[in-house]
Amino acid sequence: MHRKILFGGLTGLLIVEPGCIKNAAEDEAGTDGTTDDTGTDDGALVALGEVIVDQAPVSRPTLGRWPAVAFGGNQHLAVWEDHRARRPILYGGRVAIDGTALDPLGFPILDVAPEANFFSFEYRPSVGFDGVNFLVVSKAAGQIFAARVSPTGEVLDPGGIFIADHDSEGGWPSLAFDGEQYLLAWSNEGIYRARVQPDGTVLDPGGEFAYALSRSADATPVAVSFDGANHLLSWADHDDQGLDPVLYGGRIAMDGTLVDENPILINPIGVIHGPVAGFDGTNHVIACTGTGPEVPGQMPYEVWVTRVTPDGALLDPDGIFVIEEAPEFASIDRIDIAAGSGYSDVVWSRTNSGEGGSGADRIRGARIATDGSMSVHPPGTFPIGLEATVAVHPDGALLLHRDEGEPEIDYRAITGTRLDGAGLPVNGSVVTPASPASRQDVRGLASDGQNFFVLWTDTRDPMAQGKALFGTRVGVDGALDPTPIQFAKSPADLADIVFDGANYLTTWVWHTGGEGDGSPFNTVRVSPAGLRLDMMPLHPPLSSPYNSLAGASDGTNTLLVGMDIDSWQSQIAAVLLDQQGAAISAVVHILDIDEGHGELPAVSFDGLEYLVVWIETDGLVVGQRINQAGGLEGSRFILEDEHPITHVATAAGGGNHMVVWEHEGGTWAARVGPGGQVLDPGGYLVVAPDLAPDRCGFEPDIYTTGHCASVVFDGENFVVAWRAPSIPGTVSSLDLYAAKLSPDGEVSPPVVVSHWPERVGRPFLAVSDGVVLVAYNLFLPGAPYDTRRAVVRPLVP
């Protein structure tokens, strides 16, 4: 008989009843060996309602990169590569002239690369306006796509408009509207162009070759500007000397024919970033960055502007020198231009290599008049940010960029400011084109025998670089604490939670980037009533500059596993803590650096002793027993000696430890009995290989596409949860499954725990009174979240 457990109790609590998360694909599949959510009478688990852990959405500026913006219809359309789903999707949002976000959550425009890696830099969009609709163009998945967006924010081409194949690493497209059609241009072992009509018709399918490029410049950016009669394409290529690339251009008529059969040399400086271009009502204005005079040990960057008349005449054959950025800056990150009537505003963002530099510095800007006169805005005028872009409107302009943050790519938000008619920031103006709920990544789960405590990192606190550590209790009856606990303002790179028989012991590590403190453990106790007992973190004598953090309790004391903070010789070390969080044993070295490299440990307690298991770089799953006094018992032993091992987990029950690991895309299990005897030599298969091997670490699931299996003992059987693709070999279809493993090694039919269009996060397990709770994160589209959130789901026999 199945128990009915209501996971609820708060007004507005989202409860997904059994079976509600199935979709048509799941109904039709039936080929992956899984049961449905309601379970069967064949010994499979039953998955009950799915519940969002933190009910109150906290809005944060969306995380992403490479914004672009255009003005039209009395509003702006901002577009960017969005990271809220932990994979790249092209999003957009309309912004009024006064800076109001007209689409508070933003909306997806193009999603044509579902298998894309988070770090692949998949979308680098450009956007224009034709008087009726916006057109967004970007390279993605080895092709160039476009999509129209109406002034009401409706995406008119949800699947995108195919323009051309594009196999180069760079050479992203740009565009300009000429009153009849758009001209798109890009590089791909040559300069190509294609005309697109306002109704989305592509007049030049696949693109038309325009100009040749040298082999070393086959992925140069191409800028497009329109002067009322012709388009001017601008790009960088090597000259006859084959040294630094210089600036070339060529005009194209509205019918697509070449006005200039051979490229025009626009500027002889060595181009580094750009070009970007606009038309100021009189001339084309092309801006780029280049190398300046040599400075010992440094390579300063200069900003240059060149004007070209509509008939192709060079007004500035040697360019207009704007400024030299030397030598405290590592580089100029991006340059952009927006042309108004009688002027052009140029902005550039910079990375800072100075003492204590955060990776970003203040954006700089200049205004270029039609006659070539120039004024550079004073330092400190603009905010700190990267990837700055600008678009003018009749009363000023909108500047967008990625917010300052730390150098890590994941923790920067898309934000901006309004500019007045002089191109200067409006006081107090902060523009956020989209603000979904903060993104969450589950990092741990524990039970006190009556309730559960879920641990996650959250992007709601910008001071923590997108990894603020939060936690809250979840009761068996579904009751939630109304306000989660924030454990620290600093980021949590690793985290774990254990119930020690009296309190929850939450431990985390911040990888401070080599500040000399060894990335020490931080520990805070939380009572079963949900009260934080340590206002300042405790510091056990362990650290983890690498991926080493795990813990387990015998009901009185807790064994923490990491590295000895006082000895760089340790790779895997452990210490015993009492219920006050104080160390009551010496730090014991389990594996030293001269014996091998170990990481990703897991630990369990079987009623008599602890078992610590870890992965060694030569492909071993290795175990070591630790007694209840915190000392070594016996010698290290090998459970699996195949390569590559990418994940390991362990739990204890029924007198044995159950160790699961991932090898070559499959998940295996083996029991370890008292005295370290491996009862299943080589292990037995739990989940068949279905993806290429991929590492599972402590970081969120952005870094892995593996099974990331977790295991727990429910009092009668072990329960294993893992991720696997519902579509074989397809990373984007990662769903969550669970099965029982009997103490003698039998595997029950698996049950679908969560099946959603976006990949499901790695699972964490805990048990209370025979109920197994699974915690993970899901992408929840639409209001009020539209981001990844921590959820839980109970499983019962």
Side-chain angles (χ1 to χ4, degrees):
M1 182 176 70
H2 301 149
R3 283 187 294 171
K4 172 65 175 178
I5 299 177
L6 175 62
F7 248 59
L10 294 181
T11 301
L13 186 63
L14 173 64
I15 304 173
V16 184
E17 292 294 338
C20 292
I21 64 170
K22 288 177 60 180
N23 62 18
E26 182 180 330
D27 287 333
E28 295 172 1
T31 59
D32 58 3
T34 62
T35 66
D36 66 21
D37 299 278
T38 58
T40 66
D41 292 326
D42 58 5
L45 294 162
V46 177
L48 302 182
E50 195 165 33
V51 179
I52 299 173
V53 170
D54 182 19
Q55 296 296 305
V58 177
S59 295
R60 291 295 306 152
T62 189
L63 302 178
R65 58 187 170 191
W66 207 262
V69 60
F71 179 77
N74 206 38
Q75 61 187 350
H76 297 87
L77 177 65
V79 297
W80 61 90
E81 181 184 278
D82 196 279
H83 297 160
R84 71 186 73 186
R86 282 209 173 275
R87 66 177 184 84
I89 301 174
L90 187 61
Y91 263 72
R94 296 169 301 142
V95 179
I97 288 180
D98 65 1
T100 302
L102 302 177
D103 306 290
L105 295 177
F107 52 86
I109 294 174
L110 201 58
D111 186 7
V112 294
E115 303 297 293
N117 182 287
F118 178 82
F119 298 104
S120 65
F121 214 149
E122 197 66 35
Y123 301 96
R124 189 164 172 169
S126 294
V127 57
F129 185 70
D130 61 19
V132 177
N133 297 307
F134 294 93
L135 184 71
V136 182
V137 61
S138 180
K139 181 173 77 73
Q143 297 175 322
I144 294 175
F145 291 92
R148 293 170 301 145
V149 178
S150 76
T152 62
E154 180 185 1
V155 179
L156 302 177
D157 310 292
I161 302 167
F162 171 76
I163 304 296
D165 290 319
H166 191 300
D167 55 9
S168 293
E169 290 298 319
W172 292 274
S174 60
L175 78 166
F177 185 69
D178 61 18
E180 294 184 5
Q181 66 234 335
Y182 292 94
L183 183 74
L184 282 55
W186 64 94
S187 64
N188 186 23
E189 298 184 357
I191 303 296
Y192 286 82
R193 55 84 179 156
R195 292 166 298 152
V196 178
Q197 293 182 325
D199 65 359
T201 301
V202 181
L203 298 180
D204 309 295
E208 294 288 337
F209 178 82
Y211 295 102
L213 282 171
S214 62
R215 181 181 298 273
S216 56
D218 61 5
T220 179
V222 182
V224 186
S225 51
F226 179 69
D227 60 23
N230 299 306
H231 295 272
L232 176 67
L233 308 189
S234 308
W235 68 91
D237 197 359
H238 292 276
D239 60 14
D240 294 339
Q241 303 301 315
L243 300 176
D244 289 336
V246 298
L247 197 59
Y248 288 96
R251 291 172 297 155
I252 294 183
M254 291 173 60
D255 64 2
T257 59
L258 299 184
V259 177
D260 301 301
E261 293 292 337
N262 297 309
I264 304 166
L265 177 62
I266 293 177
N267 194 324
I269 70 163
V271 177
I272 296 176
H273 289 285
V276 292
F279 186 74
D280 65 8
T282 303
N283 300 305
H284 299 275
V285 184
I286 303 101
C288 65
T289 70
T291 54
E294 291 188 9
V295 176
Q298 298 286 340
M299 186 174 67
Y301 289 77
E302 296 178 343
V303 177
W304 290 83
V305 168
T306 305
R307 295 169 300 149
V308 178
T309 68
D311 62 6
L314 301 181
L315 296 178
D316 314 292
D318 295 323
I320 300 173
F321 172 76
V322 178
I323 196 171
E324 178 183 294
E325 295 286 6
E328 65 270 24
F329 301 102
S331 70
I332 290 176
D333 166 69
R334 179 185 183 182
I335 188 168
D336 197 21
I337 190 170
S341 178
Y343 66 90
S344 297
D345 282 329
V346 180
V347 297
W348 58 95
S349 42
R350 314 173 300 170
T351 56
N352 186 345
S353 62
E355 184 70 23
S358 67
D361 213 285
R362 286 195 176 272
I363 297 165
R364 295 296 307 273
R367 173 161 287 192
I368 314 298
T370 300
D371 62 4
S373 60
M374 174 194 62
S375 60
V376 178
H377 299 304
T381 298
F382 297 101
I384 296 172
L386 295 175
E387 299 176 356
T389 186
V390 64
V392 298
H393 57 74
D395 300 320
L398 176 62
L399 173 72
L400 292 179
H401 57 88
R402 289 175 63 201
D403 208 357
E404 176 191 5
E406 286 295 312
E408 286 85 352
I409 196 170
D410 191 24
Y411 313 128
R412 293 201 175 114
I414 303 296
T415 186
T417 185
R418 291 186 295 134
L419 306 182
D420 61 20
L424 301 174
V426 176
N427 288 336
S429 169
V430 177
V431 176
T432 304
S435 300
S438 61
R439 192 185 64 210
Q440 300 174 342
D441 289 289
V442 177
R443 309 304 291 273
L445 178 67
S447 168
D448 63 10
Q450 295 183 345
N451 299 306
F452 301 91
F453 198 94
V454 184
L455 202 63
W456 71 88
T457 51
D458 199 305
T459 61
R460 73 179 67 182
D461 187 347
M463 298 298 292
Q465 305 169 17
K467 292 185 285 187
L469 189 63
F470 284 81
T472 193
R473 295 180 307 150
V474 181
V476 174
D477 63 354
L480 300 171
D481 289 330
T483 303
I485 297 171
Q486 182 173 359
F487 286 95
K489 288 287 187 180
S490 58
D493 292 299
L494 309 178
D496 195 22
I497 186 168
V498 175
F499 185 73
D500 66 6
N503 301 298
Y504 295 103
L505 199 69
T506 297
T507 304
W508 72 93
V509 169
W510 174 27
H511 290 157
T512 55
E515 295 296 327
D517 59 7
S519 300
F521 277 20
N522 302 276
T523 297
V524 166
R525 295 169 302 146
V526 177
S527 74
L531 300 177
R532 178 173 177 158
L533 302 178
D534 305 297
M535 293 303 102
M536 296 298 293
L538 308 172
H539 294 290
L542 295 177
S543 69
S544 182
Y546 307 110
N547 288 326
S548 296
L549 171 59
S553 177
D554 65 1
T556 301
N557 300 313
T558 297
L559 187 74
L560 279 185
V561 179
M563 297 174 66
D564 186 347
I565 196 169
D566 295 322
S567 173
W568 285 95
Q569 287 296 309
S570 76
Q571 283 289 304
I572 305 288
V575 68
L576 207 63
L577 305 183
D578 64 16
Q579 291 177 341
Q580 301 304 310
I584 57 173
S585 75
V587 176
V588 59
H589 286 203
I590 299 172
L591 177 71
D592 277 343
I593 196 168
D594 58 355
E595 299 173 303
H597 177 74
E599 62 176 354
L600 303 177
V603 58
S604 54
F605 180 74
D606 67 359
L608 298 173
E609 60 188 10
Y610 298 94
L611 174 65
V612 180
V613 293
W614 67 90
I615 299 170
E616 291 194 18
T617 51
D618 53 0
L620 306 178
V621 178
V622 183
Q624 171 68 61
R625 295 179 294 135
I626 305 289
N627 61 39
Q628 285 185 269
L632 298 176
E633 283 289 331
S635 302
R636 297 191 298 268
F637 57 93
I638 297 173
L639 286 85
E640 176 61 85
D641 59 2
E642 295 291 333
H643 184 79
I645 306 297
T646 53
H647 179 68
V648 65
T650 182
N656 298 316
H657 301 272
M658 182 70 77
V659 181
V660 299
W661 64 87
E662 193 164 346
H663 169 233
E664 292 189 342
T667 291
W668 303 73
R671 295 165 297 159
V672 177
Q677 180 185 4
V678 180
L679 303 179
D680 306 292
Y684 58 90
L685 188 65
V686 177
V687 186
D690 47 28
L691 285 172
D694 197 5
R695 180 176 180 274
C696 287
F698 287 95
E699 288 284 358
D701 58 279
I702 175 181
Y703 296 103
T704 178
T705 57
H707 290 160
C708 302
S710 182
V711 59
V712 72
F713 187 69
D714 70 2
E716 296 182 4
N717 297 287
F718 292 95
V719 174
V720 176
W722 68 92
R723 300 188 305 169
S726 57
I727 303 172
T730 305
V731 169
S732 61
S733 70
L734 280 174
D735 293 331
L736 198 58
Y737 303 88
K740 290 188 293 187
L741 304 183
S742 70
D744 58 4
E746 285 189 34
V747 184
S748 75
V751 61
V752 178
V753 177
S754 194
H755 183 113
W756 284 72
E758 288 289 338
R759 69 179 69 172
V760 179
R762 59 177 298 195
F764 294 82
L765 296 175
V767 63
S768 176
D769 191 26
V771 177
V772 174
L773 193 69
V774 192
Y776 46 97
N777 49 280
L778 287 175
F779 184 84
L780 301 177
Y785 301 107
D786 203 37
T787 189
R788 296 185 75 83
R789 301 293 284 183
V791 299
V792 294
R793 193 168 200 189
L795 307 176
V796 296

